[in-house]
Amino acid sequence: MPENDSVAQLGLDEYKYGFKDPENYLFKSRKGLDEEIVRHISAQKNEPEWMLQRRLKALKHAQKRPWPTWGGDLSGLDFDNIYFYIRPSERVGRTWDEVPEDIKNTFERLGIPEQERKFLAGAGAQYESEVVYHSLKEEWEKQGVIFKGMDDGLRDHEDIVREYFGTVVPHQDNLFAAVNTAVWSGGSFVYIPKGVKLDMPLQAYFRINAEAMGQFERTLIIVEEGAEMQYIEGCTAPSYSQDSFHSGVIEIIVKEGGRMRYTTIQNWSHNVYNLVTQRAKVGRNATMEWVDGNLGSKLTMKYPSCYLMGEGARGEILSIAYAGPGQHQDAGGKVVHMAPHTSSRIVSKSISKGSGRSSYRGLLKVEKGAHHVKSNVECDALLLDEEARTDTYPYIEIEEEHASIGHEATVSKIGDEQLFYLMSRGLSEDEAATMVVRGFIEPLVKELPMEYAVEMNKLIQLQMEGSVG
Amino acid sequence: MAEPLLKITNLHAEIAEDGTEILRGLDLELNEGEIHAIMGPNGSGKSTLSKVISGHPAYEVTDGEILFRGESVLDMQPDERARAGIFLAFQYPVEIPGVSVANFMRTAINAKRGEEVDIFDFQEELESRMEMLEMDPAFALRSVNEGFSGGEKKRNEILQLAMLQPELAVMDETDSGLDIDALRIVTAGINRIKEQKKDMAVLLITHYQRMLNYITPDKVHVMVEGRIIRTGGPELALELEERGYDWIREEMAGVA
Ligand SMILES: Nc1ncnc2c1ncn2[C@@H]1O[C@H](COP(=O)(O)OP(=O)(O)OP(=O)(O)O)[C@@H](O)[C@H]1O
Ligand SMILES: [Mg+2]
């Protein structure tokens, strides 16, 4: 089917990242998930035996693990109809000139090399199953920072990977973590040495190009004592009639006094199942912040988590979700307080329109012995019309007496009075609605780095065009 | 005399949801540059009239006509009416959380002018208008009307009026909620705007004569039960203040 036809049929013409490249792949697996494919992936990567064994173990687990019955509707996701591994190119480029022409052009169109020049300490780009580009500015390399594709990370730093891989998100955690562990490919390996403070972010960009593609990146980030860094990921895909599947696992360890912020701006086309597990273990007096922007995808189920393991640790989860017609954003966050004097904050803002549905799903747990915990959860939902839907599933488990826990949830509908007020000043109905929505998410957007705040506002505006009336 | 700026004839309007009629054959004419006051008891339909002029979707016009510069506005959306030069200062301004006064004003001015205003010109203009209304510059960065006191909300409405410079300003109880000093400042502001833009017409809805001490109307209308039942000069307002509305009702009953 010609691209334009399929795009028009899906009614996704407002999605401006929907262009695609011809497929000139080195290898494309057959569809489906089985041992042969897992062994093939491992062999292609020349992996150590222990990693193959991990994969096979995880595969066994995935094959007998029941599918979740909560969250979104997964009935349209059929593993037999997904390509679990596509190798687009020979090797990882260190400069953009080493990246195959088509793929390079795609990332140019997405503005990645430009962002890299302007404000990033390093950038990585993954295309289908493999990292095609990875680069870190020299000044950081000199200070011992490691920022590589995960495959290279495993090859060059096997001892570190072996020590931490699967310790934050074990494969038994959930079905999709098991699948990821079995077929993982790509993602980033990041190591920030003790005391090193990156003042510019690292960014990874994920692109799916093929139809019915499965992308399973695996990221491992270690922030040593007193180190600081910001990591940003973005993602897009063309629109197809057959659904794709993205299921990453992100494991983060922030050691004593370290600081880490992980920002996601997820803008998959509306035919991607986005089922991601992101989790951080946070040490003594360390801080972990998740900023999670979910704008695209057909269904997202994603709950960034902080395990506050050291005394004085802090976790923050800021989540923005936009569910347009046909989309379901099941997002939220999870914080487990495992040590005394730990604190956390979850702020979630969701917007739903038409048949779109957003859910806040959160877990706040205070374990026995974690006294003097402070936590605040705030979730606000904005509905743009009568049809739109939102649900809140806050789970709170407190096993310790001295805890100060706040929880607040609001649902509001974009008001006729608000729209009339703005329109009576000359704003069109779309402009008025966009303004109300921007105001609604403003408290979160202003916490983003400037470039991403601008991007987020632009994306919201694109989504809002033609949204009311 | 040239054609009136605003000409309302036999206007009937009802609440769209349940069909309750609020405006019941209202006539009103306002020329360029004129100031008219509308007074009337609670619930007589004054705010409804102001919203119907601006095109609020909660009301349906079932009969009659509203001509603005000779052209019907009934098929125009509220934003088209605004861009044509109709402004409504709300009795109960709405809060828009997360949107700063400055951002809102700039978007509105861009919409009205159909082009991007220069950011520095805009800043300068906003600051000088705020100064005129003795508003703390910090208001520019606060969310529109959020947490504003009653009087601050009204001042913010007049700030918008000053920035947008409409042809017709409908002010719905701008005086209520203002303390004595604020009333003086706000009315002085309105007079200043009027000096700068002499052809701007003003329709003042008020319950109290005291506002008219500062802004002298050319005409005063009395509205009862969705109709203008009497029109006079500024002296009518004084008389109403003294005697209330019953005597007019009675006179009307006598006539009917
Ligand atoms: N949207 C609405 N829904 C229900 N009733 C309404 C609506 N708008 C107006 N009304 C009713 O119509 C009548 C006129 O209301 P309106 O606000 O126009 O009066 P008013 O003259 O401005 O009164 P006040 O002096 O108290 O401001 C009132 O009885 C009011 O309750
Ligand atoms: Mg009123």
Side-chain angles (χ1 to χ4, degrees):
Chain A
M1 194 175 354
E3 184 204 352
N4 285 338
D5 284 356
S6 64
V7 168
Q9 275 167 10
L10 287 167
L12 293 170
D13 23 349
E14 74 271 34
Y15 184 74
K16 67 167 182 174
Y17 307 95
F19 56 88
K20 65 166 182 170
D21 304 332
E23 297 187 9
N24 302 315
Y25 299 138
L26 292 179
F27 177 80
K28 184 171 182 175
S29 73
R30 61 182 160 74
K31 287 179 169 178
L33 173 63
D34 53 39
E35 186 172 329
E36 193 189 33
I37 284 174
V38 171
R39 284 185 180 278
H40 186 93
I41 293 170
S42 186
Q44 287 250 337
K45 295 178 184 298
N46 247 327
E47 281 175 353
E49 179 64 18
W50 66 267
M51 184 56 84
L52 173 64
Q53 291 312 319
R54 290 274 190 111
R55 288 180 184 274
L56 292 171
K57 209 168 148 191
L59 176 70
K60 279 219 177 74
H61 186 83
Q63 283 168 335
K64 57 175 201 285
R65 179 114 185 186
W67 283 56
T69 50
W70 49 273
D73 176 9
L74 292 166
S75 61
L77 176 59
D78 179 2
F79 287 173
D80 293 341
N81 198 31
I82 297 285
Y83 297 103
F84 276 76
Y85 181 67
I86 294 179
R87 186 179 186 84
S89 75
E90 196 61 65
R91 63 197 175 111
V92 181
R94 301 267 161 246
T95 67
W96 284 102
D97 286 336
E98 291 172 27
V99 176
E101 191 73 15
D102 280 351
I103 300 179
K104 181 179 129 191
N105 288 343
T106 287
F107 286 107
E108 294 269 3
R109 278 176 83 173
L110 295 166
I112 309 304
E114 195 193 337
Q115 290 178 351
E116 181 184 5
R117 280 192 300 274
K118 278 190 184 153
F119 58 86
L120 298 173
Q126 177 158 347
Y127 191 88
E128 314 294 26
S129 300
E130 295 292 349
V131 171
V132 293
Y133 173 81
H134 233 272
S135 171
L136 175 68
K137 286 194 176 137
E138 210 184 312
E139 52 171 312
W140 299 113
E141 212 169 304
K142 276 193 197 142
Q143 296 195 48
V145 172
I146 304 170
F147 177 54
K148 290 183 174 175
M150 190 65 193
D151 296 82
D152 288 357
L154 174 59
R155 193 193 55 219
D156 302 343
H157 310 278
E158 191 184 333
D159 47 335
I160 308 181
V161 173
R162 193 167 186 172
E163 184 182 346
Y164 293 103
F165 186 95
T167 59
V168 185
V169 181
H171 71 264
Q172 305 91 332
D173 189 80
N174 66 76
L175 170 63
F176 302 106
V179 171
N180 176 283
T181 306
V183 297
W184 74 266
S185 180
S188 299
F189 174 72
V190 185
Y191 180 85
I192 314 290
K194 190 169 167 177
V196 172
K197 298 184 163 113
L198 263 78
D199 56 7
M200 288 192 286
L202 298 174
Q203 179 182 278
Y205 199 93
F206 296 88
R207 178 76 179 172
I208 289 178
N209 181 61
E211 184 164 23
M213 172 62 197
Q215 191 178 58
F216 308 96
E217 90 276 6
R218 182 89 185 197
T219 289
L220 176 62
I221 299 175
I222 297 146
V223 178
E224 285 288 354
E225 283 173 30
E228 289 182 12
M229 78 96 100
Q230 259 207 67
Y231 188 91
I232 291 158
E233 63 170 3
C235 29
T236 55
S239 312
Y240 290 107
S241 51
Q242 286 197 63
D243 296 334
S244 287
F245 175 31
H246 171 252
S247 185
V249 166
I250 286 84
E251 299 184 276
I252 297 177
I253 294 118
V254 192
K255 297 198 182 166
E256 181 169 346
R259 263 190 103 89
M260 160 92 208
R261 168 182 275 197
Y262 192 106
T263 300
T264 303
I265 298 182
Q266 179 270 105
N267 193 23
W268 293 117
S269 53
H270 294 192
N271 59 314
V272 174
Y273 286 89
N274 184 47
L275 312 169
V276 175
T277 309
Q278 297 182 323
R279 189 172 304 156
K281 286 185 173 175
V282 192
R284 194 181 161 89
N285 293 327
T287 300
M288 175 69 208
E289 297 171 356
W290 296 101
V291 179
D292 196 23
N294 289 300
L295 301 163
S297 82
K298 175 179 192 163
L299 167 66
T300 286
M301 288 169 65
K302 184 162 184 273
Y303 324 97
S305 315
C306 296
Y307 283 45
L308 305 176
M309 305 177 72
E311 190 162 341
R314 175 162 179 82
E316 280 202 27
I317 300 159
L318 311 179
S319 168
I320 300 177
Y322 184 99
Q327 291 182 284
H328 183 184
Q329 307 285 10
D330 200 272
K334 186 164 141 185
V335 179
V336 184
H337 291 263
M338 306 164 79
H341 298 284
T342 49
S343 62
S344 65
R345 178 167 81 119
I346 302 178
V347 185
S348 153
K349 299 242 175 198
S350 73
I351 299 140
S352 325
K353 147 187 148 192
S355 58
R357 179 178 166 197
S358 66
S359 315
Y360 167 79
R361 194 178 297 278
L363 171 70
L364 179 70
K365 188 169 175 178
V366 179
E367 293 193 344
K368 190 124 199 78
H371 51 82
H372 295 93
V373 159
K374 273 195 200 136
S375 174
N376 200 47
V377 179
E378 187 192 328
C379 42
D380 302 318
L382 180 67
L383 303 175
L384 298 190
D385 50 47
E386 298 294 340
E387 197 191 348
R389 171 172 169 197
T390 186
D391 315 278
T392 308
Y393 307 96
Y395 299 96
I396 299 182
E397 296 170 24
I398 315 272
E399 293 165 3
E400 179 64 42
E401 269 172 46
H402 299 284
S404 141
I405 309 289
H407 186 274
E408 213 182 307
T410 67
V411 178
S412 49
K413 199 179 157 300
I414 197 165
D416 287 343
E417 294 305 321
Q418 282 179 323
L419 290 181
F420 177 65
Y421 186 71
L422 296 174
M423 289 176 76
S424 79
R425 302 305 185 239
L427 277 67
S428 71
E429 192 163 4
D430 271 359
E431 286 172 326
T434 303
M435 182 161 258
V436 174
V437 168
R438 275 197 189 186
F440 174 75
I441 59 170
E442 209 276 336
L444 285 194
V445 169
K446 76 171 182 226
E447 306 213 20
L448 295 178
M450 217 261 280
E451 291 82 4
Y452 294 91
V454 170
E455 174 76 3
M456 184 70 97
N457 276 329
K458 232 172 48 196
L459 291 173
I460 291 280
Q461 184 156 351
L462 275 171
Q463 298 257 35
M464 289 293 298
E465 273 163 22
S467 65
V468 279
Chain B
M1 184 96 215
E3 92 189 326
L5 181 71
L6 179 71
K7 185 174 158 92
I8 300 178
T9 41
N10 188 36
L11 185 64
H12 288 259
E14 58 185 39
I15 299 168
E17 201 164 55
D18 60 10
T20 313
E21 186 167 67
I22 312 287
L23 303 181
R24 302 171 182 170
L26 182 137
D27 296 293
L28 186 69
E29 263 185 37
L30 189 62
N31 293 312
E32 256 183 21
E34 285 183 351
I35 299 176
H36 289 200
I38 296 185
M39 303 180 81
N42 293 134
S44 55
K46 303 181 296 297
S47 293
T48 302
L49 171 65
S50 72
K51 289 186 211 167
V52 169
I53 293 172
S54 285
H56 197 297
Y59 306 97
E60 194 181 326
V61 172
T62 51
D63 202 1
E65 188 53 276
I66 304 177
L67 299 179
F68 182 67
R69 295 166 143 171
E71 281 181 40
S72 176
V73 298
L74 293 181
D75 288 332
M76 289 164 75
Q77 291 296 309
D79 54 318
E80 297 173 288
R81 299 187 199 198
R83 292 195 295 269
I86 296 175
F87 179 90
L88 169 59
F90 284 64
Q91 182 176 5
Y92 303 111
V94 184
E95 297 183 1
I96 317 283
V99 176
S100 72
V101 169
N103 180 6
F104 168 48
M105 274 321 323
R106 197 153 61 86
T107 311
I109 284 183
N110 289 341
K112 174 117 197 250
R113 299 194 188 158
E115 57 173 18
E116 290 267 319
V117 289
D118 178 83
I119 181 84
F120 296 106
D121 292 349
F122 168 78
Q123 280 294 351
E124 206 177 288
E125 194 176 336
L126 185 66
E127 275 166 28
S128 83
R129 306 280 185 194
M130 289 180 80
E131 202 180 299
M132 172 182 87
L133 293 165
E134 296 186 25
M135 290 173 79
D136 183 337
F139 272 91
L141 299 176
R142 284 179 60 179
S143 292
V144 176
N145 294 322
E146 197 182 36
F148 286 21
S149 75
E152 287 163 352
K153 283 184 183 167
K154 295 302 174 69
R155 240 185 255 216
N156 188 36
E157 292 295 286
I158 301 310
L159 174 67
Q160 294 170 44
L161 169 70
M163 293 296 288
L164 290 170
Q165 303 262 320
E167 315 303 313
L168 169 66
V170 180
M171 293 185 216
D172 192 2
E173 295 198 30
T174 299
D175 53 340
S176 65
L178 293 180
D179 66 38
I180 297 158
D181 290 336
L183 181 67
R184 192 170 37 75
I185 294 159
V186 165
T187 48
I190 296 169
N191 285 328
R192 273 283 292 286
I193 300 165
K194 187 87 178 75
E195 274 163 35
Q196 288 164 359
K197 191 170 165 62
K198 292 203 166 47
D199 58 357
M200 180 175 80
V202 177
L203 194 57
L204 277 180
I205 296 169
T206 182
H207 284 295
Y208 305 107
Q209 144 68 22
R210 57 170 196 183
M211 188 178 197
L212 307 179
N213 288 337
Y214 297 100
I215 301 176
T216 317
D218 298 295
K219 285 185 181 166
V220 174
H221 306 278
V222 180
M223 182 162 173
V224 174
E225 289 171 14
R227 258 185 300 252
I228 303 291
I229 59 163
R230 188 170 202 129
T231 297
E235 72 290 344
L236 181 56
L238 286 167
E239 200 172 355
L240 289 171
E241 182 108 321
E242 230 165 77
R243 300 173 62 189
Y245 292 108
D246 282 347
W247 63 277
I248 302 189
R249 284 201 183 104
E250 277 157 26
E251 273 188 27
M252 288 304 293
V255 173

